[in-house]
Amino acid sequence: MDLRNGSNLKLYIREEDYYVVGHHRNIEEKGDDSWIVLTGFVKLNKSDDTELESHKEDNKSMIAIRLADVEYAEIFN
């Protein structure tokens, strides 16, 4: 992950029917209470990739996701 220039992430959320794609903004590491923050994010349906919620044109909108809730992540630099 490029912490200097940022990376785009696709985070698959455990036990949810959606995943989130966005630009890495921040990560707070505190063991089981660790969080990752994305900006310019979009929520998409896991089964058919339909857009459920979009903030991709708004870099001021952020979503914080607890790392323990992330099933797996894909990183795009």
Side-chain angles (χ1 to χ4, degrees), residues 5-45:
N5 299 311
S7 295
N8 292 314
L9 303 175
K10 184 187 285 188
L11 302 178
Y12 290 85
I13 311 303
R14 190 180 317 281
E15 297 180 19
E16 293 291 346
D17 61 352
Y18 66 88
Y19 61 93
V20 180
V21 178
H23 188 74
H24 172 259
R25 173 70 178 240
N26 191 24
I27 190 163
E28 181 75 26
E29 295 187 55
K30 291 185 177 181
D32 289 341
D33 196 29
S34 297
W35 294 79
I36 191 163
V37 177
L38 303 178
T39 59
F41 68 94
V42 180
K43 282 185 181 179
L44 299 138
N45 188 304

Side-chain angles (χ1 to χ4, degrees), residues 35-62:
W35 294 79
I36 191 163
V37 177
L38 303 178
T39 59
F41 68 94
V42 180
K43 282 185 181 179
L44 299 138
N45 188 304
K46 281 183 181 176
S47 63
D48 63 6
D49 298 322
T50 56
E51 196 172 277
L52 303 173
E53 181 180 338
S54 178
H55 299 272
K56 61 185 166 191
E57 301 300 325
D58 182 5
N59 283 327
K60 293 182 181 179
S61 292
M62 295 181 236

